C-alpha cells in the first residue's frame, strides 16, 4: 500500500472514531472538505503540520498514531533506497 493511501485510510478511521464529518475536520485544520476527501482517498499528501493538526482534532495520541501508521507500513519495511522506484 502506498504511503498516501495508508495515511489517508488512517485519517478516515481517526476522523470517524472521533465522530467528525469531513467538513468539521476540514474547518478545524484549515482545509477545504474536498482536500480532506482527497487525503482520505490517498490522492493528496499531508504535511507533517497538517498531520499533527488531524491528530489533535481527532484526539489521537502521537504514540497511538505512530503505532497505527507503522502497522500499515510493515509490509514495506525495506530500506528507503530499495523502495525509491516503487
Amino acid at each position: 500500500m502506498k504511503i498516501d493511501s495508508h495515511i489517508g485510510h488512517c485519517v478516515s478511521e481517526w476522523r470517524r472514531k472521533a465522530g467528525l464529518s469531513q467538513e468539521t475536520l476540514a474547518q478545524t485544520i484549515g482545509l477545504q472538505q474536498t482536500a480532506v476527501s482527497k487525503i482520505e482517498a490517498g490522492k493528496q499528501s499531508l504535511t507533517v503540520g497538517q498531520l499533527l493538526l488531524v491528530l489533535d482534532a481527532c484526539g489521537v495520541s502521537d504514540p497511538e498514531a505512530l503505532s497505527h501508521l507503522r502497522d500499515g507500513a510493515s509490509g514495506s519495511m525495506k530500506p528507503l533506497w530499495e523502495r525509491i522506484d516503487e
Side-chain angles (χ1 to χ4, degrees):
M1 177 182 285
K2 295 210 178 245
I3 191 69
D4 286 342
S5 294
H6 179 61
I7 290 173
H9 175 78
C10 292
V11 169
S12 177
E13 188 174 318
W14 296 329
R15 176 184 60 76
R16 291 169 195 221
K17 283 184 179 179
L20 301 174
S21 66
Q22 286 183 343
E23 181 67 30
T24 302
L25 178 60
Q27 289 173 352
T28 303
I29 65 174
L31 295 175
Q32 297 291 318
Q33 180 274 327
T34 54
V36 172
S37 178
K38 287 178 183 178
I39 290 165
E40 290 184 359
K43 296 179 181 178
Q44 182 172 326
S45 298
L46 279 170
T47 65
V48 172
Q50 289 169 330
L51 179 58
L52 293 173
L53 289 171
V54 167
L55 296 177
D56 188 48
C58 295
V60 178
S61 69
D62 294 346
E64 179 184 357
L66 185 58
S67 175
H68 199 180
L69 292 169
R70 185 176 287 151
D71 288 346
S74 60
S76 63
M77 293 304 287
K78 295 186 284 185
L80 178 61
W81 60 88
E82 292 180 14
R83 295 182 281 133
I84 202 76
D85 292 325
E86 289 183 2

